[in-house]
Protein backbone atom coordinates (compact mmCIF):
# COMPACT_ATOMS: atom_id res chain seq x y z
CA UNK A 1 0.00 0.00 0.00
CA UNK A 2 1.43 3.29 -1.07
CA UNK A 3 1.01 6.28 1.27
CA UNK A 4 0.33 9.65 -0.14
CA UNK A 5 2.32 12.58 1.13
CA UNK A 6 0.41 15.72 1.86
CA UNK A 7 1.98 19.10 1.57
CA UNK A 8 1.20 21.21 4.64
CA UNK A 9 1.47 24.91 4.27
CA UNK A 10 3.01 26.51 7.33
CA UNK A 11 1.18 29.70 8.20
CA UNK A 12 3.26 32.86 8.45
CA UNK A 13 4.30 34.17 11.86
CA UNK A 14 2.30 37.23 12.88
CA UNK A 15 4.75 39.83 14.18
CA UNK A 16 2.35 42.74 14.56
CA UNK A 17 2.25 42.41 18.39
CA UNK A 18 6.03 42.13 18.77
CA UNK A 19 6.77 45.90 19.10
CA UNK A 20 4.13 46.17 21.84
CA UNK A 21 5.73 43.30 23.70
CA UNK A 22 9.25 44.75 23.35
CA UNK A 23 8.18 48.19 24.60
CA UNK A 24 6.28 46.63 27.53
CA UNK A 25 9.40 44.74 28.61
CA UNK A 26 11.55 47.85 28.09
CA UNK A 27 9.23 49.97 30.29
CA UNK A 28 9.20 47.28 32.97
CA UNK A 29 13.00 47.26 33.24
CA UNK A 30 13.17 51.06 33.16
CA UNK A 31 10.81 51.25 36.13
CA UNK A 32 12.17 48.28 38.10
CA UNK A 33 15.87 49.06 37.73
CA UNK A 34 17.53 51.27 40.33
CA UNK A 35 20.03 53.72 38.94
CA UNK A 36 22.78 54.76 41.32
CA UNK A 37 22.50 58.43 42.19
CA UNK A 38 26.15 59.12 43.00
CA UNK A 39 29.37 57.59 41.76
CA UNK A 40 32.25 57.13 44.19
CA UNK A 41 35.21 59.36 43.34
CA UNK A 42 37.38 57.97 46.12
CA UNK A 43 39.05 54.62 46.68
CA UNK A 44 36.88 52.86 49.23
CA UNK A 45 37.97 49.37 50.27
CA UNK A 46 35.01 48.38 52.45
CA UNK A 47 35.52 46.20 55.50
CA UNK A 48 34.32 42.61 55.28
CA UNK A 49 31.88 40.79 57.54
CA UNK A 50 29.79 37.65 57.74
CA UNK A 51 26.48 38.89 59.17
CA UNK A 52 25.62 41.63 56.69
CA UNK A 53 22.10 42.41 55.57
CA UNK A 54 20.96 43.97 52.33
CA UNK A 55 19.26 47.30 52.76
CA UNK A 56 16.30 48.10 50.60
CA UNK A 57 17.24 51.23 48.76
CA UNK A 58 14.90 54.13 49.41
CA UNK A 59 14.86 57.36 47.49
CA UNK A 60 15.61 59.21 50.74
CA UNK A 61 19.13 57.89 51.31
CA UNK A 62 22.17 60.14 51.08
CA UNK A 63 25.32 58.29 50.01
CA UNK A 64 28.43 59.29 51.96
CA UNK A 65 31.79 57.82 51.01
CA UNK A 66 34.93 58.22 53.12
CA UNK A 67 38.04 57.08 51.33
CA UNK A 68 41.58 57.74 50.35
CA UNK A 69 42.21 60.39 47.76
CA UNK A 70 44.79 58.93 45.40
CA UNK A 71 46.22 62.36 44.53
CA UNK A 72 46.67 63.82 48.02
CA UNK A 73 46.96 60.63 50.05
CA UNK A 74 44.59 61.98 52.70
CA UNK A 75 41.09 60.87 53.57
CA UNK A 76 38.28 62.78 51.90
CA UNK A 77 34.51 62.75 52.28
CA UNK A 78 32.15 62.51 49.34
CA UNK A 79 28.51 63.49 49.93
CA UNK A 80 26.46 62.97 46.80
CA UNK A 81 28.64 63.91 43.84
CA UNK A 82 30.89 66.41 45.61
CA UNK A 83 34.05 65.96 47.67
CA UNK A 84 33.69 68.06 50.83
CA UNK A 85 35.61 68.74 54.03
CA UNK A 86 34.27 68.05 57.50
CA UNK A 87 33.44 71.75 57.85
CA UNK A 88 31.47 71.79 54.58
CA UNK A 89 29.63 68.50 55.22
CA UNK A 90 26.60 70.09 57.01
CA UNK A 91 26.00 72.41 54.04
CA UNK A 92 26.29 69.50 51.60
CA UNK A 93 23.80 67.48 53.67
CA UNK A 94 21.34 70.39 53.77
CA UNK A 95 21.67 70.76 50.01
CA UNK A 96 21.02 67.02 49.53
CA UNK A 97 18.03 67.17 51.91
CA UNK A 98 16.60 70.08 49.96
CA UNK A 99 16.14 67.80 46.94
CA UNK A 100 14.07 65.29 48.96
CA UNK A 101 10.30 65.56 49.15
CA UNK A 102 8.46 65.92 52.47
CA UNK A 103 7.14 62.35 52.24
CA UNK A 104 10.64 60.96 51.81
CA UNK A 105 11.95 63.23 54.57
CA UNK A 106 10.33 60.97 57.16
CA UNK A 107 12.45 58.07 55.88
CA UNK A 108 15.62 60.13 55.46
CA UNK A 109 18.80 58.20 56.17
CA UNK A 110 22.45 58.01 55.23
CA UNK A 111 24.49 55.21 53.73
CA UNK A 112 28.01 55.50 55.13
CA UNK A 113 30.70 53.60 53.24
CA UNK A 114 34.20 54.06 54.60
CA UNK A 115 37.57 52.64 53.66
CA UNK A 116 38.72 50.03 56.17
CA UNK A 117 41.86 52.07 56.91
CA UNK A 118 39.92 55.27 57.69
CA UNK A 119 40.75 56.67 61.15
CA UNK A 120 37.85 56.20 63.55
CA UNK A 121 37.80 59.87 64.58
CA UNK A 122 36.79 60.83 61.01
CA UNK A 123 33.89 58.36 61.05
CA UNK A 124 32.81 59.54 64.52
CA UNK A 125 32.90 63.17 63.39
CA UNK A 126 30.76 62.36 60.33
CA UNK A 127 28.28 60.52 62.58
CA UNK A 128 28.13 63.53 64.91
CA UNK A 129 27.43 65.87 61.99
CA UNK A 130 24.68 63.53 60.74
CA UNK A 131 23.12 63.51 64.21
CA UNK A 132 23.27 67.32 64.42
CA UNK A 133 21.52 67.59 61.04
CA UNK A 134 18.71 65.27 62.18
CA UNK A 135 19.73 62.27 60.07
CA UNK A 136 19.44 59.46 62.60
CA UNK A 137 19.16 56.40 60.34
CA UNK A 138 22.65 55.34 59.31
CA UNK A 139 23.51 52.30 57.25
CA UNK A 140 27.12 51.10 57.25
CA UNK A 141 28.36 49.52 54.03
CA UNK A 142 30.68 46.53 53.75
CA UNK A 143 31.57 43.43 51.76
CA UNK A 144 30.06 40.05 52.58
CA UNK A 145 32.66 37.33 53.14
CA UNK A 146 30.11 34.66 52.26
CA UNK A 147 29.69 35.94 48.69
CA UNK A 148 32.10 34.69 46.08
Amino acid sequence: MKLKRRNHDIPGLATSAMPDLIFTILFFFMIATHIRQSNPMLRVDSPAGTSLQKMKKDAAVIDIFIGKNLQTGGYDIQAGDAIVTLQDLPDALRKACGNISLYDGERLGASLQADKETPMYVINRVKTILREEGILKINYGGRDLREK
Side-chain angles (χ1 to χ4, degrees):
M1 174 171 173
K2 193 170 185 179
L3 297 174
K4 273 189 160 182
R5 279 195 144 177
R6 287 198 266 171
N7 267 345
H8 294 287
D9 290 333
I10 299 174
L13 182 63
T15 59
S16 61
M18 195 167 303
D20 295 336
L21 179 66
I22 290 171
F23 282 113
T24 303
I25 293 171
L26 177 69
F27 287 138
F28 170 76
F29 283 112
M30 286 173 55
I31 292 170
T33 304
H34 171 73
I35 298 173
R36 184 179 220 160
Q37 296 296 329
S38 59
N39 296 321
M41 294 183 267
L42 305 170
R43 184 184 63 88
V44 178
D45 186 17
S46 298
T50 56
S51 60
L52 300 178
Q53 297 176 355
K54 286 212 181 248
M55 181 181 113
K56 64 178 184 176
K57 189 73 171 177
D58 289 337
V61 175
I62 300 170
D63 291 318
I64 299 174
F65 300 97
I66 305 172
K68 195 166 224 167
N69 189 331
L70 297 177
Q71 295 173 349
T72 63
Y75 286 91
D76 287 334
I77 301 166
Q78 177 186 344
D81 284 330
I83 294 179
V84 296
T85 62
L86 279 171
Q87 293 79 16
D88 296 335
L89 183 59
D91 293 331
L93 291 174
R94 280 187 221 112
K95 182 180 175 186
C97 291
N99 298 333
I100 295 173
S101 68
L102 291 175
Y103 171 74
D104 288 334
E106 297 171 357
R107 302 178 300 162
L108 181 62
S111 175
L112 184 61
Q113 298 181 22
D115 188 71
K116 63 183 176 183
E117 301 293 327
T118 303
M120 199 62 200
Y121 74 88
V122 176
I123 296 172
N124 284 335
R125 184 66 185 125
V126 170
K127 286 174 31 180
T128 303
I129 292 171
L130 287 170
R131 196 174 322 118
E132 290 169 355
E133 293 299 317
I135 302 171
L136 303 177
K137 298 176 187 174
I138 302 174
N139 172 49
Y140 300 97
R143 291 180 291 122
D144 197 350
L145 286 175
R146 296 172 292 176
E147 291 180 2
K148 293 185 180 184

